[in-house]
Amino acid sequence: MTATNLTAPWSDLLARWDGQQTVYVKARDRLYEALFEILTHLRPAENLVVLDLACGPGAISSRLLRRLPGARSVAVDIDPVLLAIGEGALGDQDGRLRWVQADLRDPDWTTALGADGAPGTFDAVLSSTALHWLDPATLVATYRHTYQLLRPGGVLLNADYLPHADGSRLRAACDEIALERRNHALADGGESWEAWWEAVSAEPALADALAKRATLWPDGARDWTGATHHFQESALREAGFAEAGVVWQDLQTGIIAGLR
């Protein structure tokens, strides 16, 4: 990725991204706190090398690098708009943060990582509220790739939507509570997903990135798949992870871990 126009309001858009994400995931701050507690317990080294998978504008990387001054992150996403905002707001953190555009639907996406795509490069692979967009076959393939990218003893932590079975009473109850939380947050002045994207669309500095983004999803909306935690655990074990399981959860937002 190349540096973006630093006069554009990247930091404001990134802060607003965090705000609107909290509308949909009320416990988002606690989710990240739990994510890093688990990470640093399992991999206590200060100089971790982390793959921020489907990074968006860098919510994980920004928090990781503040928390662990010796860490390095490679942030990967397909969305040129989110990458532009993240790189514009965060830069390269004095060489500790690298931005890469890659499509996880491409079987050879790891080649975009260059030297960082070699087997055993990373101590950890982290992701948040992103992999639910992948269809089941792509999710399984992604876990296989990440297993190869991890060093022995490495950890994958995916903080995401982990729904109960479709049609179940548990899923219906959790969906209703989540909707109530969202409506309260919006009533209190929170920004919606749609409103945030309207603001982004009005930013002249993002015109080129928005045009490129439109070619990635020409029909507009993407499919929301949301694999259950049972499927996720099976996919991680099939990929080769020795252990897999949910380590934190609030309703249907949880953190699932895979240990190499």
Side-chain angles (χ1 to χ4, degrees):
M1 295 293 295
T2 56
T4 48
N5 179 4
L6 296 179
T7 63
W10 308 122
S11 295
D12 176 65
L13 288 173
L14 179 57
R16 289 173 64 179
W17 168 269
D18 277 336
Q20 63 90 2
Q21 289 284 288
T22 304
V23 167
Y24 299 91
V25 183
K26 182 179 181 180
R28 190 166 182 259
D29 288 341
R30 179 63 190 122
L31 178 148
Y32 282 123
E33 184 63 24
L35 183 81
F36 292 119
E37 285 177 342
I38 297 161
L39 171 66
T40 54
H41 184 81
L42 292 170
R43 301 291 290 184
E46 283 287 327
N47 59 342
L48 293 178
V49 181
V50 171
L51 178 63
D52 184 355
L53 193 64
C55 64
I60 284 179
S61 289
S62 62
R63 289 165 171 81
L64 170 78
L65 299 181
R66 284 198 304 269
R67 188 171 186 132
L68 299 176
R72 180 171 73 88
S73 180
V74 178
V76 176
D77 205 290
I78 182 56
D79 194 319
V81 174
L82 299 183
L83 287 170
I85 293 170
E87 188 174 12
L90 302 172
D92 69 356
Q93 300 289 300
D94 296 322
R96 298 169 58 218
L97 176 56
R98 180 181 170 222
W99 300 90
V100 177
Q101 185 172 22
D103 188 346
L104 300 182
R105 298 168 298 181
D106 181 347
D108 298 319
W109 65 266
T110 57
T111 61
L113 301 176
D116 286 322
T121 294
F122 296 97
D123 297 291
V125 176
L126 307 179
S127 188
S128 66
T129 57
L131 300 186
H132 57 259
W133 292 111
L134 300 180
D135 65 72
T138 304
L139 180 63
V140 170
T142 299
Y143 281 159
R144 288 174 181 155
H145 281 303
T146 56
Y147 178 84
Q148 295 298 326
L149 290 170
L150 283 168
R151 295 169 180 163
V155 57
L156 178 146
L157 295 171
N158 177 23
D160 207 354
Y161 177 60
L162 305 175
H164 294 289
D166 193 22
S168 69
R169 293 168 60 195
L170 286 173
R171 181 164 182 167
C174 290
D175 285 345
E176 289 173 7
I177 295 169
L179 180 59
E180 290 172 2
R181 290 179 176 182
R182 184 188 316 162
N183 289 339
H184 282 307
L186 292 171
D188 288 341
E191 186 171 28
S192 69
W193 171 269
E194 293 80 9
W196 186 84
W197 277 104
E198 286 179 9
V200 167
S201 298
E203 175 51 58
L206 286 169
D208 288 345
L210 285 162
K212 292 176 183 176
R213 186 178 194 273
T215 67
L216 296 174
W217 300 287
D219 297 326
R222 295 169 287 174
D223 291 333
W224 174 292
T225 59
T228 68
H229 69 86
H230 296 296
F231 181 91
Q232 299 254 8
E233 288 181 24
S234 296
L236 286 165
R237 291 186 182 279
E238 183 181 330
F241 288 89
E243 296 182 40
V246 174
V247 293
W248 181 90
Q249 190 162 355
D250 175 66
L251 296 180
Q252 295 180 112
T253 297
I255 301 173
I256 192 162
L259 305 185
R260 196 184 192 288

